[in-house]
Amino acid sequence: MTGYYAHYYVSYIFVPLVGVILPIASMGLLLNYIEK
């Protein structure tokens, strides 16, 4: 039960984190590459 709850909790944090931070990071890297 604890493992299942932890999985739920991690997915709730991890999915929006990846959905928001990954595009921002990739955009930043792309911009940096273009500016050079």
Side-chain angles (χ1 to χ4, degrees), residues 1-2 4 8-12 16-19 25-26 28-29 31:
M1 175 134 181
T2 325
Y4 187 72
Y8 236 164
Y9 187 68
V10 166
S11 67
Y12 253 107
L17 201 77
V18 167
S26 61
L29 286 169
L31 188 73

Side-chain angles (χ1 to χ4, degrees), residues 7 10 16 22-23 30:
H7 168 256
V10 166
L22 202 68
L30 195 67

Side-chain angles (χ1 to χ4, degrees), residues 21-36:
I21 289 176
L22 202 68
I24 289 171
S26 61
M27 269 188 175
L29 286 169
L30 195 67
L31 188 73
N32 196 13
Y33 181 74
I34 290 166
E35 289 292 316
K36 282 183 178 180

